[in-house]
Amino acid sequence: MHHMKEMIATHPDVKGSTNDALIRCLEECYSCAQTCTSCADACLAEEMVAQLRQCIRLNLDCADICLAAGSLGTRRTGSNEQALVAALQACAIACGLCAEECEKHASMHEHCRICAEHCRRCEQACNEAVQSIR
Amino acid sequence: MHHMKEMIATHPDVKGSTNDALIRCLEECYSCAQTCTSCADACLAEEMVAQLRQCIRLNLDCADICLAAGSLGTRRTGSNEQALVAALQACAIACGLCAEECEKHASMHEHCRICAEHCRRCEQACNEAVQSIR
Amino acid sequence: MHHMKEMIATHPDVKGSTNDALIRCLEECYSCAQTCTSCADACLAEEMVAQLRQCIRLNLDCADICLAAGSLGTRRTGSNEQALVAALQACAIACGLCAEECEKHASMHEHCRICAEHCRRCEQACNEAVQSIR
Amino acid sequence: MHHMKEMIATHPDVKGSTNDALIRCLEECYSCAQTCTSCADACLAEEMVAQLRQCIRLNLDCADICLAAGSLGTRRTGSNEQALVAALQACAIACGLCAEECEKHASMHEHCRICAEHCRRCEQACNEAVQSIR
């Protein structure tokens, strides 16, 4: 069984009945934060860094909101749904913007190609999690 | 001149012309994150901790989203406005939920009274920052 | 190939020659942060929450320092080694303290059992990463 | 009375008797995180960004460890002292490295000058907080 599913299944309020769309989303959020942090640092090391400023910023924004959305989702309880949904929606938007920017450099920079794909996966996982909660 | 205003005024893209509603919001976000982290820990130390579970969770949620919103706002650039607005809206919601919960315990716990007031200030500052960006 | 290894291998300064002990450590850090955030919330939902206060605090401390160590490690560059080593050492200490506390409740709470194991893995990975850098 | 001092004084375990060196340190940590996040973004916008790569990285490292140290310090309890001291020491190191780098650009970039000063203040506050705890 997957790591976060195993963990969340032991929560006293959950009792084994997990929301799998949300759990998949949490894992994408934490791991997308890592990828974006890594892509920002790789962009910063590229010779053409001056053309990657916006990419670096959107990477950093995406990493920050991914971690916040991941934490809120991990603490999901009945009554934070309104904040959780808003955080997941903000995360989907940040992932979409970051993916769009990374896609422009995907043919030149392998880290941007991987990051764009990851952001698209996370964007979709956030949207599906929002559907599953509402 | 205030700390973040002085700092952001030196940004090459800003050239002294700062968005004061946004800067006030950033300062509220970072400082509300601190207050909420502190309130969560104080609630945890109360004898009646079992009745403060929801307050602790909402404090932690609020702290996480405040920090993310503060970081995105600090990196404000033309093209992350869509993500920034969504993050500020999520932050306003989390602040509102946390304030509502803390207000229930405000007469018994001074930390909840202070925290509720702080969350209301941050909620309003986020809403005003959203107005100033759009 | 594993997710972060694939990503970091594309960094212009790395050119495919990755530090595998550090990469394994980064993955443990991010994923231990998730586990600790989840354990804190599960502890908070337990009937005996009053006896789990210290566990919740150490979970939250561990999550915070794990994320910071993970981010610094992801941005590893020649000249932040001194800060990175200090962050990994702080992370190993926080993981050790959290594991020790969770182990006390491991027979009663499955989430504490999983979390203790995870913290021990992350503690060891941090120590090995420190060895690999120095 | 200052914001965090007022808040922490209400904690049931503290009962008004606050550690002022630690509280000053927490405030420096959160506010230094903001300054470093802002300096990273300003550096990224400079024409000579290619010469500021290391500054940006150290800014980001410093911001991450400052927030972690600030959170641990806010949750100070008897038994996390070992982790807290290690986190504050890591923070002092990161602040020192960031200050050293920013000082190199202080005459050209006002944001680096302010950031260097702020990092030095935070470095000192961390060292004094460590002394006060041990």
Side-chain angles (χ1 to χ4, degrees), chain A residues 11-58:
Chain A
H11 192 297
D13 296 348
V14 170
K15 300 189 170 91
S17 150
T18 54
N19 174 342
D20 291 349
L22 181 59
I23 289 174
R24 194 181 141 253
C25 171
L26 304 181
E27 296 191 327
E28 289 293 350
C29 283
Y30 276 90
S31 124
C32 192
Q34 267 186 289
T35 300
C36 285
T37 301
S38 185
C39 191
D41 196 59
C43 285
L44 205 52
E46 293 291 351
E47 248 182 272
M48 60 179 282
V49 57
Q51 287 135 75
L52 295 169
R53 295 167 212 253
Q54 189 57 18
C55 196
I56 295 169
R57 276 171 182 147
L58 294 176

Side-chain angles (χ1 to χ4, degrees), chain B residues 98-99 102-103 106 111-121:
Chain B
C98 189
C102 275
E103 282 157 6
H111 48 84
C112 286
R113 186 192 61 74
I114 298 173
C115 190
E117 280 181 17
H118 204 154
C119 287
R120 288 293 179 208
R121 270 207 313 280

Side-chain angles (χ1 to χ4, degrees), chain A residues 54 57 61 64 75 79-80, chain B residues 54 61 64 75 79-80:
Chain A
Q54 189 57 18
R57 276 171 182 147
D61 281 355
D64 284 333
R75 267 192 303 271
S79 47
N80 80 342
Chain B
Q54 189 56 18
D61 281 355
D64 285 332
R75 266 192 303 273
S79 48
N80 81 344

Side-chain angles (χ1 to χ4, degrees), chain B residues 33-75:
Chain B
Q34 266 185 288
T35 300
C36 286
T37 301
S38 186
C39 191
D41 196 58
C43 285
L44 206 52
E46 294 290 352
E47 248 182 272
M48 61 180 280
V49 56
Q51 285 135 78
L52 296 169
R53 296 168 211 253
Q54 189 56 18
C55 195
I56 295 168
R57 276 172 181 144
L58 294 175
N59 275 322
L60 296 174
D61 281 355
C62 194
D64 285 332
I65 197 82
C66 276
L67 285 182
S71 301
L72 262 75
T74 302
R75 266 192 303 273

Side-chain angles (χ1 to χ4, degrees), chain A residues 108-120:
Chain A
M108 291 190 63
H109 304 304
E110 186 67 2
H111 47 84
C112 286
R113 187 192 61 73
I114 297 173
C115 190
E117 282 181 17
H118 205 155
C119 287
R120 288 293 179 208

